[in-house]
Structure formats: C-alpha cells, structure tokens
Amino acid sequence: MAERILIIEDEEKIARVLQLELEFEGYETGIAHTGTDGLILYREQQWDLILLDIMLPGLNGLDVLKRIRATEFNTPVIMLTAKDDVEDKVTGLDLGANDYMTKPFEIDELLARIRAALRFKPQQQEFAKEQDEFFHEYKDLSIHEQTREVKRNGRSIDLTPREYELLLYLIKNPKQVLSREQILDAVWGFDYYGDTNVVDVYIRYIRQKVDKGSKQPLIQTVRGVGYVLKEQVNEA
C-alpha cells in the first residue's frame, strides 16, 4: 500500500508541484490550503507524513503542529518555511517537528528527507507505544505522567502537586463515580484522618483551572456520593 502524505500549503502552485512530484514517486497525497482545513483533513484520515507550511491563513503552521502533537507523536512532520528564521525553526522543532525545509528548496533534497522521516517512523511508533502508559486523555483533557504536563484543548494548566494527583486519579477512572472516601485513600493516603471536606475544596480548586473558559465542564458532582470525570451527569 502506498504511503500517504498530507500537504498543508497555502500557495496553490507549490502545493500542486509537490503533489505531482510525490505522486510520481508513488506516494498518495492530500492537499489543504489553510491551517484549519489541514487540521480537519489530518483528523479525518490516516497519514504517514505531513508537509506543513508555517505561514498559513487562519491557524498558522506552528498552531497546527501544536494541536497535532497534543494528541500524538507518531506522524512525522516536516515544516516548510519561506523565512530563513532560526526562531521559527527552533520553535517548530521544540513543538515536535521532525525536520524543516527553507523555501526555495530542491525537490530531490525534500524527497530524501521524506524517505528518512518515513524510515525512522517505526522506531518512533515503538517509542510512542512505550509512552502510552504514561499518557492519559479524556475528551480534550490530557495528562502526561512523565512530564506532568496537563492540557485542555491545547491550553497548559498549572496545578499544585495535590491538585495534580487528584486530577490524575479522576482521569485514570473516567466515567466512574468516585466517593470522597475513595478519593481520600487514593490521593491523601490510607493514613489520612482529616475531614472529607478537603476533597470538596480541592475539587473546587481544579474546577476553576480545568473547566475555566470551557462551555462543557468535565468534573461533575454526584450528590451524596462524590465526583465523576464525565461530560454530562444524568439527573436522577
């Protein structure tokens, strides 16, 4: 089966040339001319590699890359930029780009970099599998245990150590109603003998940070029982 490459490039002539060259080499291609359309196409289909221009209308290439890397690291991304700007290159690499090319570029060099990125993809996938156990996600909320990064819809959230442990316990048990006693045992420890109201206090703290600015709260109260990480609570 031919490997599939998504081209996200706003200059239609360049996108068309890339498409023709890649298809001549035996790749299947898709094209988007805006960052938003590229992100939609990326999410709707499976791709083996992405060619991503930085200067795009709407969402720029760095914003698109940030959203892609918020969910996965498997798909190689090669950034394309018309600017010989070190800052853009460094930012792109820091956000998770695999490589970059500065326009104008020789097509043969780009093809070589594509082959190299695809050749190392199996190693990247194996590494990603090893990382899966440390990555937890529910809807648009994610936590990575190794880096302790907490994000919602791409927005980084700063939590205190106790808030982090509480949210981690919730996201590891999504859609499960957890009693205050269960939460105390898991987060504060079996030897905690204080008031269970401390759970309510910390739930309020993390709600202010996690659900802030969102139309859909994720941390729900189950009256008389405890809390659940869920989009909606069925009214009893």
Side-chain angles (χ1 to χ4, degrees), residues 76-89:
V77 176
I78 298 178
M79 305 295 294
L80 306 177
T81 174
K83 300 188 298 182
D84 189 12
D85 192 325
V86 174
E87 185 177 348
D88 276 346
K89 294 173 182 176

Side-chain angles (χ1 to χ4, degrees), residues 135-151:
F135 184 77
H136 308 282
E137 186 176 29
Y138 181 75
K139 302 301 178 182
D140 57 356
L141 175 67
S142 65
I143 295 180
H144 199 295
E145 287 190 75
Q146 285 191 319
T147 62
R148 297 180 74 88
E149 284 184 300
V150 180
K151 293 185 177 182

Side-chain angles (χ1 to χ4, degrees), residues 5-232:
I5 296 178
L6 174 59
I7 304 163
I8 307 178
E9 165 63 65
D10 65 322
E11 295 186 49
E12 295 186 16
K13 290 183 178 179
I14 293 178
R16 181 57 177 161
V17 169
L18 288 172
Q19 182 182 39
L20 291 173
E21 293 286 351
L22 290 170
E23 290 183 352
F24 181 78
E25 294 294 319
Y27 299 108
E28 292 183 6
T29 63
I31 292 179
H33 297 300
T34 70
T36 302
D37 288 345
L39 196 58
I40 291 171
L41 200 53
Y42 156 75
R43 289 171 174 168
E44 288 179 345
Q45 300 181 36
Q46 293 293 319
W47 303 98
D48 294 293
L49 183 140
I50 299 171
L51 295 178
L52 178 59
D53 187 28
I54 288 183
M55 302 299 290
L56 292 168
L59 286 176
N60 65 40
L62 296 176
D63 288 333
V64 173
L65 177 63
K66 192 181 301 182
R67 284 164 171 77
I68 291 172
R69 290 300 184 239
T71 59
E72 60 99 356
F73 287 86
N74 291 348
T75 309
V77 176
I78 298 178
M79 305 295 294
L80 306 177
T81 174
K83 300 188 298 182
D84 189 12
D85 192 325
V86 174
E87 185 177 348
D88 276 346
K89 294 173 182 176
V90 170
T91 301
L93 293 171
D94 283 344
L95 287 173
N98 300 78
D99 202 351
Y100 64 85
M101 292 286 291
T102 302
K103 302 175 186 175
F105 48 78
E106 295 293 332
I107 192 66
D108 286 341
E109 182 181 356
L110 176 61
L111 291 172
R113 291 182 184 234
I114 288 172
R115 289 192 296 271
L118 291 172
R119 191 161 56 244
F120 285 110
K121 186 179 178 184
Q123 297 178 20
Q124 295 166 348
Q125 289 176 330
E126 196 61 35
F127 174 76
K129 288 179 183 177
E130 295 174 1
Q131 302 302 305
D132 281 348
E133 62 182 295
F134 300 106
F135 184 77
H136 308 282
E137 186 176 29
Y138 181 75
K139 302 301 178 182
D140 57 356
L141 175 67
S142 65
I143 295 180
H144 199 295
E145 287 190 75
Q146 285 191 319
T147 62
R148 297 180 74 88
E149 284 184 300
V150 180
K151 293 185 177 182
R152 180 153 190 203
N153 195 27
R155 174 177 61 89
S156 294
I157 300 171
D158 292 324
L159 300 175
T160 66
R162 189 73 75 183
E163 292 168 351
Y164 170 84
E165 295 298 333
L166 175 52
L167 186 60
L168 181 62
Y169 182 57
L170 291 173
I171 204 170
K172 283 184 174 181
N173 299 277
K175 299 184 180 180
Q176 296 184 41
V177 178
L178 303 169
S179 69
R180 290 173 177 81
E181 289 74 18
Q182 285 176 299
I183 294 173
L184 279 174
D185 288 345
V187 179
W188 276 263
F190 289 101
D191 56 350
Y192 177 81
Y193 294 105
D195 196 327
T196 59
N197 286 342
V198 69
V199 174
D200 303 324
V201 172
Y202 274 85
I203 286 288
R204 185 168 68 249
Y205 289 160
I206 62 175
R207 270 179 174 157
Q208 291 171 353
K209 297 179 179 181
V210 172
D211 290 335
K212 180 182 179 181
S214 176
K215 296 180 180 178
Q216 179 59 67
L218 290 181
I219 304 170
Q220 310 292 345
T221 301
V222 181
R223 292 182 182 179
V225 183
Y227 299 95
V228 59
L229 187 70
K230 187 179 178 181
E231 275 194 307
Q232 293 181 347

